[in-house]
Amino acid sequence: ASFMDPPLQFIVTAECGRARVGRLHLPHHICDTPMFMPVGTQGTIKGLTAHQVVDLNCGVILGNTYHLGHRPGPEVMKELGGLHEFMKYPRAMLTDSGGFQMVSLLKLAEITEEGVTFQSPHDGSTMLLTPEMSMKIQNAIGADIMMALDDVVSSTTTGPRVEEAMHRTLRWIDRCIKAHDRPKEQNLFGIVQGGLDPALRDQCLAEMIKRDLPGYAIGGLSGGESKDKFWPIVGQCAKGLPRNKPRYLMGVGYALDLVVCSALGVDMFDCVFPTRTARFGTALVPWGALQLKSSEYAMDFQPIDSNCTCLVCRKYTRAYLHTIAGSEGVAGQLLSIHNIGFQMGLMKNIRDSITNQTFPDFVRSFMRQQFPTNNAPQWAVDALREAGIELSNI
Amino acid sequence: MLYTKDGSPPHLTPDLLDAIEDVQGVHLGLQELFEHKDVFVKYRQVKDKGAHDFFALGEHVTFFGIRDPMAFTESPSSGPTQKQTDTPQQPNNPSQSPSSSSSSSSSSSSKPPSSSPLPPVAQGYITATSKKGRAKVTVQDYADIITSLSPDVFSGMSAEVEWRASKKRSHKACHLSSDLLDGLLALLPPHMHQRVFGVVSGAGFKDQRLRSAQDVAKKNVAGFVLSGFDTGETLDERAEMLEIIMQQLPVDKPKLVTGPGRPEEVLDMIAAGVDMFCTYYPHLNTQMACALSFPVSYPFPPSQQQHDAHDPSKLNLRDPVYVLDKLPMVPGCLCYACRTHTRAYVHHLLNTHEMLADVLLT
């Protein structure tokens, strides 16, 4: 890792409408945005070696503070030199705060002003995660970007809890900033909350920006809310966040969402989707997805995508993948390689077309491939219109 | 020969396989691949390609074997007990369940490549057991899968019996192996004859083994599969039998054994004259979270083990003693996992049930 001061620099190198290409300088790597970040929850992207992840042109990958804080734990992590050294991943990393588990493990979590008490699903032991504790674990992990501990509510929650969570998130960001022990080596990002309420979101945006953090995330979305409530909040937050700092939309990973949200001005995305769906035998392609367990592929001797240059498409047929999809571990590895390659390729196309000022054409051709019978979902049409891109009706 | 499941070495994508320098060949198994026979036949028809392309096996030598190195199961097989007349050709249905082993088969005759009638012995069958169940494999079926996949070398058909099978059962298996080989060669194009390994059967019976070896030694085969080892014999019995067999076989043809994989046993068998091994021993160790660590070159370095181990030939990486251990699994080992990672990391991966543990251990 190079010593950079400050440890993050973000330069917008091209714009096309609200979409922009950026160069993000981090201690371990220089990345191009918009970018997709695969998730390696427990210190590994399931089944893939660190070399394979690099070969796929990944820039930043994610680690999960809650899980790594549990196993192997911050002391062991620190003793072994941090997550980069532990995993031998040479490029950049981002750790989330552990906050998402509040939502996903809600039955096992109790939230107070102090922090979140989790009951481990593995052994029943309890763990109190405070902003200070989250910072400590993340400092031990040593990722280039750390996420503040926020009070996350499910996006389908309504009522006063949403406002309470937004305000607590602001109190917690200040505790995070204070507890962050390595500000010269690691970047702390704040997370904008406020549920689906634009007024709360505006309040949160204003307060977060006052803290002058190196970057910001749009949180609390991608959790089951309807898409037509999702995109206006994304748009509002992207617009409201500073132009010269990276904007990270958490938990977004379907191809359509990546394209639309890039159009709205988002720079960074993460999602377990491509790797998880790989383990269920699904391959992602520009026109949708192939469920390779289906018998329709038993004698299909084409590669997954004849235009794809990944290792899997160069060497294997759909017929072969059908024989192992969902049953052999190596199937998950192969499809993860392809799916991550797919996501990386998509982001590259987004970036190139923004740079070449042909982004609207790219979006239109992408939509035609995904929805050949002119059946694009209304929310996407509306969102793209808001971003200044009209989908031509054929 | 590296163990494969459904054509792929467990947990090794092609780039990872290629990075393991000393692997020269892989084992492809009838048991699990037979259910896909129609796919291979079509692949050959449409693309004129075989196993190397379908399974992306690159430059590796492929051996197509009958017995699954991972599981030994005796399964039904049958040869005819009387002459059969030719019946009109019907398509083989591999998924029908086999009749009991001793009844003579009234299966349809196979379609010969030439117009001459098929010898009656070619109507026997063996069985392939996969996740989907048992399937009958006739000589025609086997010829089809062999010509489609075109492995570099392959076993003749054989009925696997365990060491302590009954004399009668073993005797039948010997005859079947011999008869089916003739039937197979009749169906295969000449250029494939040079790739078949004749099978030496006979379970634990010295006289049967002797006769089987003598019989197959006379045939024009590329090498020999010594079947039925690691099925309950003692090491002494094995050594004795290998000696009897080897005396009958030509020196200049390779001998292959499926089953035993522990390093001491492999060394003993090499000393006895065995050339090729199909074993899942490494995979078994991976499943048990063990890293093999026995020394592989002579002179042996001083023991690298830091802890008392019941078995000095391997490390069980689940042991909490490794939680902070920054050494590679086996210091000095040049594989990707040892050059890149630490015992602590592998221990963590095992602890968190991560697939990468299996990949690195493999």
Side-chain angles (χ1 to χ4, degrees), chain A residues 68-232:
Chain A
L68 291 171
H70 194 62
R71 302 180 294 196
E75 291 79 26
V76 172
M77 186 63 82
K78 203 163 174 187
E79 172 73 31
L80 292 170
L83 186 58
H84 277 95
E85 180 61 27
F86 193 45
M87 274 183 73
K88 293 294 199 298
Y89 182 65
R91 294 184 175 177
M93 294 210 222
L94 182 154
T95 41
D96 78 328
S97 61
F100 178 66
Q101 275 65 40
M102 279 187 226
V103 174
S104 59
L105 300 174
L106 192 52
K107 289 195 192 62
L108 306 163
E110 202 201 318
I111 303 161
T112 62
E113 186 62 27
E114 194 188 354
V116 190
T117 309
F118 286 104
Q119 189 177 43
S120 165
H122 306 289
D123 58 12
S125 63
T126 55
M127 175 177 146
L128 172 62
L129 188 65
T130 60
E132 292 76 16
M133 192 66 197
S134 177
M135 294 300 102
K136 179 175 171 197
I137 299 170
Q138 295 191 68
N139 283 145
I141 293 171
D144 303 67
I145 299 173
M146 304 169 28
M147 302 309 295
L149 184 66
D150 50 343
D151 186 358
V152 190
V153 292
S154 156
S155 51
T156 49
T157 304
T158 51
R161 173 76 185 106
V162 182
E163 180 159 6
E164 177 198 45
M166 188 275 282
H167 286 293
R168 181 172 290 140
T169 293
L170 293 172
R171 292 193 292 277
W172 281 4
I173 186 70
D174 291 330
R175 284 168 62 181
C176 286
I177 292 169
K178 202 161 169 203
H180 178 22
D181 215 19
R182 302 173 62 188
K184 285 211 174 7
E185 297 153 273
Q186 296 179 272
N187 299 285
L188 176 63
F189 276 29
I191 306 179
V192 178
Q193 294 292 350
L196 298 172
D197 183 336
L200 290 176
R201 286 278 176 177
D202 267 341
Q203 248 191 300
C204 199
L205 278 165
E207 288 297 318
M208 274 290 166
I209 291 168
K210 277 188 203 162
R211 272 72 176 175
D212 194 24
L213 295 162
Y216 302 96
I218 305 165
L221 294 173
S222 201
E225 73 279 1
S226 74
K227 277 300 207 287
D228 47 76
K229 297 207 167 73
F230 158 83
W231 77 260

Side-chain angles (χ1 to χ4, degrees), chain B residues 109-152:
Chain B
S109 72
S110 324
K111 182 182 175 183
S114 61
S115 56
S116 58
L118 199 67
V121 294
Q123 294 181 39
Y125 66 88
I126 59 173
T127 322
T129 307
S130 71
K131 325 184 256 280
K132 287 193 177 163
R134 277 187 184 161
K136 219 179 197 175
V137 183
T138 64
V139 181
Q140 182 65 59
D141 289 330
Y142 194 68
D144 287 344
I145 199 172
I146 291 291
T147 48
S148 308
L149 288 179
S150 191
D152 295 305

Side-chain angles (χ1 to χ4, degrees), chain B residues 79-80 121 157 159 168-182 201-202 208 211-212 215 219:
Chain B
V121 294
M157 297 170 79
K168 186 178 172 192
R169 196 177 170 82
S170 177
H171 187 72
K172 283 187 71 179
C174 287
H175 271 281
L176 190 71
S177 303
S178 182
D179 294 344
L180 291 180
L181 178 62
D182 294 331
S201 309
Q208 292 188 15
R211 268 201 304 276
S212 176
D215 179 60
K219 309 226 172 165

Side-chain angles (χ1 to χ4, degrees), chain B residues 113-263:
Chain B
S114 61
S115 56
S116 58
L118 199 67
V121 294
Q123 294 181 39
Y125 66 88
I126 59 173
T127 322
T129 307
S130 71
K131 325 184 256 280
K132 287 193 177 163
R134 277 187 184 161
K136 219 179 197 175
V137 183
T138 64
V139 181
Q140 182 65 59
D141 289 330
Y142 194 68
D144 287 344
I145 199 172
I146 291 291
T147 48
S148 308
L149 288 179
S150 191
D152 295 305
V153 281
F154 53 94
S155 174
M157 297 170 79
S158 65
E160 297 290 314
V161 293
E162 93 259 15
W163 198 264
R164 313 229 182 260
S166 73
K167 212 163 193 169
K168 186 178 172 192
R169 196 177 170 82
S170 177
H171 187 72
K172 283 187 71 179
C174 287
H175 271 281
L176 190 71
S177 303
S178 182
D179 294 344
L180 291 180
L181 178 62
D182 294 331
L184 181 66
L185 290 173
L187 286 178
L188 290 176
H191 74 266
M192 300 215 73
H193 291 196
Q194 302 152 6
R195 305 200 219 158
V196 67
F197 276 34
V199 179
V200 176
S201 309
F205 303 103
K206 293 183 193 157
D207 55 339
Q208 292 188 15
R209 286 280 188 180
L210 183 69
R211 268 201 304 276
S212 176
Q214 284 172 338
D215 179 60
V216 77
K218 292 183 209 140
K219 309 226 172 165
N220 190 15
V221 291
F224 304 96
V225 170
L226 311 184
S227 82
F229 284 96
D230 200 26
T231 59
E233 75 277 16
T234 67
L235 292 180
D236 286 336
E237 286 172 327
R238 182 190 297 171
E240 209 183 345
M241 199 62 86
L242 282 174
E243 206 184 324
I244 291 172
I245 294 170
M246 292 297 181
Q247 278 172 1
Q248 305 304 320
L249 299 179
V251 165
D252 59 350
K253 291 186 181 177
K255 290 101 189 170
L256 180 150
V257 175
T258 297
R262 288 176 54 231

Side-chain angles (χ1 to χ4, degrees), chain B residues 293-309:
Chain B
S293 60
F294 53 86
V296 292
S297 54
Y298 189 80
F300 300 130
S303 172
Q304 305 270 11
Q305 292 287 103
Q306 293 181 317
H307 315 285
D308 284 330

